[in-house]
Amino acid sequence: MQKALLKVENLSFKYDKEYVLKDINFELYDKDFFAITGPNGGGKSTLIKLILNILKPQFGTIELNNSIKSSLDIGYVPQNTNINLDFPISVLDVAMMGNGSKHNTLKRALNINYTKLEIECAKNSLAKVGMQGFLNTKISNLSGGQRQRVMIARAICSHPKLLILDEPTSSIDINGQKEIYSLLKELNRDITILVVTHDLTVISNYANRVLYVNQEGFLHNLKQDRFRVNKDEHFCEVELMQMLGKNGGQN
Ligand SMILES: Nc1ncnc2c1ncn2[C@@H]1O[C@H](COP(=O)(O)OP(=O)(O)OP(=O)(O)O)[C@@H](O)[C@H]1O
Ligand SMILES: [Mg+2]
């Protein structure tokens, strides 16, 4: 039996008095394309912050496999990456930020040059997301979809084993969304993907497992026939969301 990359057990969390997450259980395996969905305010971003150790649970455990113990082993694209568009920073600069830790930020502040290796790493990750032709372009001059590709490049710069994305296509048009998800599918050959999305088409086309989170969590294995969506079939999002919000898909 394959060892889980991440194991969440009996996890409960509250910011104040009310529990935002109650008794969440799931495991993430190597090369999973794992989706987290659920209504606004359901607790998805909170769960991601708990996994990233930004927040601490009141109850339960989050166990990381040894292969993802270092913060550089997890790439993260947060929800609503609000960039100050007046800040004169290039595409290459943004990707470079993914190279390392505080050390790296300090380098920028002190205006110390990056090493050749760091520059090569950033260029390689920009090439992986198809942005190699924009190295010196100001980040503010990119489209939303292109900017999001650069954020993904930044997140994969340190060669993470796990890439976590919180609603990566929320402000991107349909074609841009498709492009980002086929990029993620490609990256998924080497990297485990954990993505928060409201897009059920994405879930049915790309994910192998999905966790529906609305305070409680319901885990579903999408390889099961009942979730398979026929291309000619009318796709009813409401019905699928109702199916996901029920137990019974436990694998
Ligand atoms: N820093 C905070 N302090 C107090 N309450 C918070 C904080 N952040 C989130 N919450 C509350 O926790 C609940 C879950 O929020 P969370 O952001 O995790 O939801 P979400 O599922 O990511 O929603 P969305 O789909 O809108 O992104 C909400 O009721 C929210 O108001
Ligand atoms: Mg959120």
Side-chain angles (χ1 to χ4, degrees):
M1 172 87 190
Q2 199 189 354
K3 196 170 184 314
L5 210 56
L6 170 78
K7 190 171 185 178
V8 174
E9 269 185 310
N10 309 117
L11 179 82
S12 295
F13 177 83
K14 56 182 175 180
Y15 289 98
D16 303 306
K17 282 184 197 145
E18 300 283 316
Y19 275 95
V20 168
L21 293 170
K22 265 190 197 164
D23 200 24
I24 305 287
N25 290 280
F26 73 96
E27 290 178 355
L28 184 72
Y29 291 96
D30 192 36
K31 307 294 181 325
D32 264 352
F33 196 119
F34 193 102
I36 295 179
T37 195
N40 293 133
K44 304 177 295 297
S45 296
T46 303
L47 179 56
I48 296 299
K49 287 174 192 161
L50 285 157
I51 293 170
L52 291 167
N53 206 16
I54 298 170
L55 298 171
K56 306 260 185 251
Q58 278 86 11
F59 289 103
T61 54
I62 298 172
E63 201 183 307
L64 300 181
N65 183 293
N66 280 335
S67 66
I68 56 164
K69 280 271 156 72
S70 148
S71 60
L72 293 183
D73 294 327
I74 302 180
Y76 174 44
V77 179
Q79 188 172 11
N80 306 323
T81 31
N82 290 324
I83 289 181
N84 177 354
L85 293 178
D86 294 329
F87 195 67
I89 188 165
S90 73
V91 163
L92 185 61
D93 283 329
V94 172
M96 296 281 244
M97 289 177 189
N99 259 316
S101 46
K102 292 167 195 147
H103 177 60
N104 190 271
T105 318
L106 189 65
K107 270 194 176 178
R108 279 223 67 75
L110 298 174
N111 205 13
I112 294 171
N113 287 335
Y114 286 99
T115 64
K116 264 192 182 163
L117 187 68
E118 284 174 325
I119 296 170
E120 278 315 301
C121 271
K123 283 185 177 170
N124 283 344
S125 61
L126 283 167
K128 273 192 193 147
V129 303
M131 290 299 287
Q132 66 276 30
F134 296 82
L135 300 184
N136 297 313
T137 307
K138 255 179 77 180
I139 195 83
S140 55
N141 292 346
L142 299 179
S143 73
Q146 290 170 330
R147 208 171 295 140
Q148 202 57 315
R149 280 169 179 269
V150 176
M151 299 317 284
I152 294 171
R154 182 179 77 154
I156 61 172
C157 208
S158 62
H159 304 290
K161 304 216 169 43
L162 168 63
L163 179 60
I164 299 181
L165 308 102
D166 195 348
E167 299 194 37
T169 58
S170 52
S171 58
I172 296 173
D173 67 28
I174 296 276
N175 283 332
Q177 289 182 18
K178 276 192 191 151
E179 282 174 21
I180 295 272
Y181 277 99
S182 30
L183 167 66
L184 292 181
K185 190 76 196 163
E186 237 176 83
L187 294 175
N188 187 222
R189 278 194 248 151
D190 303 314
I191 308 177
T192 306
I193 306 274
L194 176 58
V195 63
V196 174
T197 178
H198 290 280
D199 189 334
L200 294 171
T201 314
V202 162
I203 293 171
S204 60
N205 286 336
Y206 296 91
N208 59 329
R209 290 193 303 142
V210 58
L211 181 74
Y212 176 95
V213 177
N214 187 12
Q215 194 182 48
E216 291 175 278
F218 299 114
L219 182 66
H220 300 277
N221 188 339
L222 296 175
K223 295 273 167 354
Q224 288 169 358
D225 278 346
R226 66 199 188 92
F227 288 112
R228 220 160 265 159
V229 178
N230 188 326
K231 277 203 176 91
D232 307 323
E233 225 173 339
H234 178 65
F235 190 68
C236 179
E237 297 223 338
V238 178
E239 252 175 39
L240 188 51
M241 202 47 119
Q242 279 170 353
M243 274 167 90
L244 292 174
K246 284 180 192 148
N247 214 338
Q250 294 278 357
N251 52 358

